[in-house]
Amino acid sequence: MSSGCYIRYHFRSREIPLVNAGELLHHMYSVLFSGVTRIRWTCLRQVCLTHCNMSTSSGTSTNGHGRSTAGVIVIGDEILKGQVKDTNSHFILKHLHSFGVRVPKVSVIPDSVTLIADEVRLFAEKFDFVITSGGIGPTHDDMTFEGVAAAFGDKTQMRPEIQKFVSEYFKTDDTSQPCFKLAQVPSTAQLVYAEDKTRGVRSRFPVVRMRNVYVLPGVPNLLEKAFLLLAKEYFVNPDSQFCCDEVYLWLDEVSAATALNQTVAECPSVTFGSYPVLYHSYYKTRITLEATDMAAVQAARARLTEALPSGTLVNYTPDPVTGAARRLEGMTQREEHVKEAVDIVNQCYDKYSPEEVCVCFNGGKDCTAVLHLAHTIQTGRHPGSRLRAVYIRESKPFPAMETFVEETRVRYDLDLYIIGGPMKAGLHAMKEHWPEVKACIMGTRQGDPYAELMRPFQPTDSDWPQLMRVNPILAWDYHQLWLFVRALTLSYCSLYDKGYTSLGSVDNTLPNPALQETIGDGTVTYRPAYELEDVTRERDGRIGRRRRGS
């Protein structure tokens, strides 16, 4: 779908004169999958993934190698032109690998019925199953359904059950409208509905399956939802027992090479991978271990640990969301200030529903901590709910901060509202957007400007939007804040690793001079924020230091 295509629609009984086609389809698919529980699948550390009792009708079969094969076809002119970054193939490949499925080939092709048909036909013959991404929608360049039909000598036709949904959703029976192109699918295709069997709920719009070809949307979060909900039944290799583990090192790859090479030679049944990272907040090298026997993986890990220099292993958790409640509970038992913060957030949710609560999130270290607290507690108390957050943007935000905010939105599946500052006007806009919000969880700490008289629960002043400000980390000091973030290996804005300790706008924030050092060749560098010793100098990098720090 071309990102520059606009369509006129009557939507939900009101006319939208110019709607970006990509945005419209994204919204529609979001509604279509809205009845299905969000699922998070991760590469499980030290867990043996055994798949059995798979129905042969799923289209997954073995090919003599003990693992099924798949081909992935990414469709879209915008990918080939570099206008849109392809993240779908990475997501699909990562999960298929963990399912014991071998992917010999990924192809990226343009929006062309002929090219789509040729590639789909070739892949369908060579691989056990095929997944396509992109080219589904109401515009002229959405050709995947036509191409898949042509691959098997079929034609597209209006499918009544999809037509009925499209008609109801777009409030029109005029089948000449572009939206009805969504109902034009291969005539012999199977319509597969994503289903949450634990709740007995299925999606309202199907994934189209033509023989062993599965046609998925190109919008990343929609593809991910559809893929994960279909994965167990259609994509997992039933004959594979696949075991994996990961080791993270605060050691560069060259320094780790001797120990790794020695372990590889001693553990021939285990496949190792070594992946250096130039700039990461927690590690420099990631080593993967894979085998069909969990005991072999565990033995190889133990041997590698023994061969490495002492103190080089990092206890890193790549996914801060899965298992967050268990890790947070562990911290509350060790750290009294964390327990007090958890109690404050729980009191907030005792009084307010999820729809009445939002987190004030600007990407800073303090609100990163409270966002994690709020998300862990809300999703534990209200499974399936989405945490609301408001990002009140600075006039000249750092690009790195903007990137981190978007990454955090995806990581936590936030319902994020973005509005320009200043704070007072931003909160007014947020209240107009979400009039039901009554409480705002904030990252204020006692040492912050104007926080001397603040309490854990503090109503806004009379001339501000009426909200209850909830301050769970009010009593935390700078070191306690960083202990929490790094003990849980939470992702944070990369600027903190470059000497920034308090973040505002590009025009009022510099690296903290207290962290400056000069290396051998005279180059000036800065140590990371968490190494600041004198906490009274937290805002030494701010121009106009009475401004609120982050």
Side-chain angles (χ1 to χ4, degrees):
M1 172 180 294
S2 170
S3 59
C5 181
Y6 290 80
I7 303 171
R8 182 181 300 273
Y9 275 124
H10 287 271
F11 176 70
R12 302 284 186 180
S13 301
R14 72 182 192 276
E15 184 178 15
I16 303 177
L18 284 177
V19 178
N20 180 279
E23 294 175 356
L24 183 141
L25 187 61
H26 179 280
H27 183 274
M28 189 191 77
Y29 268 113
S30 299
V31 172
L32 305 182
F33 284 99
S34 64
V36 183
T37 301
R38 290 180 295 280
I39 297 178
R40 181 180 296 271
W41 286 31
T42 59
C43 180
L44 301 179
R45 301 180 70 243
Q46 298 185 342
V47 174
C48 184
L49 301 179
T50 304
H51 310 299
C52 57
N53 298 324
M54 182 68 65
S55 168
T56 57
S57 65
S58 68
T60 304
S61 62
T62 58
N63 56 10
H65 299 286
R67 301 176 72 182
S68 62
T69 62
V72 177
I73 303 174
V74 180
I75 301 166
D77 291 343
E78 68 276 13
I79 304 295
L80 290 168
K81 294 176 181 177
Q83 295 170 341
V84 175
K85 183 178 180 180
D86 169 42
T87 60
N88 289 335
S89 60
H90 172 264
F91 175 86
I92 293 169
L93 295 172
K94 175 179 66 176
H95 285 284
L96 289 180
H97 178 69
S98 71
F99 299 159
V101 176
R102 188 167 60 91
V103 182
K105 188 173 183 179
V106 176
S107 178
V108 182
I109 60 175
D111 298 302
S112 163
V113 172
T114 301
L115 291 176
I116 294 170
D118 290 345
E119 200 76 342
V120 166
R121 187 184 308 111
L122 176 65
F123 273 48
E125 292 172 354
K126 292 182 65 174
F127 308 123
D128 293 312
F129 64 91
V130 181
I131 296 175
T132 74
S133 161
I136 303 174
T139 64
H140 67 285
D141 59 351
D142 293 311
M143 304 177 182
T144 300
F145 286 151
E146 297 165 84
V148 171
F152 300 104
D154 196 5
K155 299 287 187 181
T156 60
Q157 71 174 31
M158 193 84 68
R159 298 292 284 269
E161 57 191 288
I162 307 179
Q163 178 185 348
K164 181 176 183 293
F165 173 80
V166 172
S167 176
E168 293 174 351
Y169 187 85
F170 290 104
K171 305 297 184 184
T172 179
D173 293 321
D174 181 3
T175 57
S176 67
Q177 289 292 311
C179 58
F180 283 96
K181 188 174 181 180
L182 292 162
Q184 293 277 359
V185 305
S187 65
T188 58
Q190 177 186 357
L191 305 182
V192 180
Y193 288 86
E195 186 174 4
D196 178 0
K197 294 183 178 178
T198 61
R199 297 172 58 214
V201 176
R202 74 172 190 171
S203 62
R204 299 167 63 192
F205 195 88
V207 167
V208 171
R209 173 190 172 188
M210 187 69 174
R211 301 188 187 180
N212 63 339
V213 179
Y214 298 83
V215 183
L216 299 186
V219 180
N221 68 323
L222 305 180
L223 176 139
E224 292 168 14
K225 283 184 179 181
F227 178 91
L228 293 178
L229 287 163
L230 296 176
K232 186 173 182 180
E233 184 172 356
Y234 293 98
F235 303 144
V236 171
N237 183 356
D239 299 321
S240 172
Q241 178 176 282
F242 188 71
C243 314
C244 64
D245 198 0
E246 294 179 333
V247 176
Y248 297 90
L249 308 178
W250 189 249
L251 193 68
D252 63 79
E253 188 181 40
V254 173
S255 301
T258 299
L260 177 59
N261 292 340
Q262 179 182 341
T263 307
V264 169
E266 295 175 1
C267 305
S269 65
V270 177
T271 300
F272 292 81
S274 179
Y275 307 96
V277 179
L278 291 180
Y279 305 106
H280 195 280
S281 300
Y282 294 101
Y283 67 89
K284 296 180 179 179
T285 306
R286 176 174 66 97
I287 296 175
T288 61
L289 304 85
E290 301 171 358
T292 58
D293 177 21
M294 196 63 212
V297 171
Q298 292 172 335
R301 179 189 174 96
R303 182 67 192 90
L304 178 62
T305 302
E306 181 183 338
L308 286 165
S310 177
T312 59
L313 265 67
V314 177
N315 185 22
Y316 175 67
T317 303
D319 177 8
V321 178
T322 302
R326 174 180 52 79
R327 289 189 291 273
L328 183 60
E329 174 63 24
M331 283 207 75
T332 62
Q333 295 174 1
R334 300 188 304 270
E335 306 290 345
E336 183 62 28
H337 64 281
V338 177
K339 182 180 183 300
E340 292 173 357
V342 169
D343 288 344
I344 290 169
V345 178
N346 270 314
Q347 290 174 41
C348 174
Y349 283 102
D350 286 342
K351 185 172 183 180
Y352 303 105
S353 70
E355 295 75 21
E356 296 173 324
V357 177
C358 81
V359 173
C360 194
F361 178 69
N362 67 358
K365 61 187 184 300
D366 306 283
C367 51
T368 295
V370 299
L371 178 112
H372 185 76
L373 282 168
H375 185 272
T376 303
I377 292 170
Q378 177 176 307
T379 55
R381 294 176 62 131
H382 304 279
S385 64
R386 293 180 72 198
L387 178 63
R388 286 179 166 179
V390 57
Y391 171 32
I392 301 176
R393 182 187 276 125
E394 292 273 359
S395 58
K396 296 180 181 179
F398 284 91
M401 182 66 82
E402 296 277 280
T403 298
F404 175 68
V405 169
E406 172 59 17
E407 291 172 347
T408 303
R409 181 194 67 79
V410 174
R411 184 178 297 114
Y412 289 92
D413 190 27
L414 298 177
D415 185 2
L416 181 65
Y417 178 60
I418 301 175
I419 188 69
M423 176 69 76
K424 189 174 184 179
L427 290 178
H428 270 297
M430 184 273 290
K431 280 289 288 181
E432 291 179 2
H433 182 68
W434 288 322
E436 64 274 24
V437 169
K438 299 177 181 178
C440 192
I441 301 177
M442 312 190 81
T444 304
R445 287 185 292 113
Q446 200 71 66
D448 290 344
Y450 314 113
E452 296 88 351
L453 302 178
M454 197 72 71
R455 299 186 302 274
F457 290 87
Q458 181 87 33
T460 52
D461 295 340
S462 59
D463 58 335
W464 280 63
Q466 292 306 289
L467 292 163
M468 177 63 72
R469 288 173 287 182
V470 182
N471 304 303
I473 64 170
L474 190 62
W476 291 15
D477 63 30
Y478 182 84
H479 291 145
Q480 288 173 328
L481 183 281
W482 275 113
L483 172 66
F484 178 84
V485 169
R486 290 190 60 83
L488 295 177
T489 62
L490 304 183
S491 295
Y492 54 84
C493 181
S494 60
L495 293 171
Y496 290 116
D497 287 332
K498 299 176 181 178
Y500 293 85
T501 54
S502 176
L503 294 174
S505 295
V506 170
D507 57 1
N508 69 10
T509 311
L510 298 170
N512 194 320
L515 293 170
Q516 180 178 317
E517 58 184 13
T518 304
I519 58 179
D521 63 356
T523 302
V524 174
T525 64
Y526 292 86
R527 302 194 313 277
Y530 55 84
E531 292 188 8
L532 181 69
E533 296 178 3
D534 184 356
V535 299
T536 65
R537 301 191 63 182
E538 178 182 351
R539 290 173 181 79
D540 278 12
R542 295 293 287 272
I543 301 169
R545 291 173 55 189
R546 284 292 287 178
R547 288 177 61 94
R548 167 74 176 91
S550 299

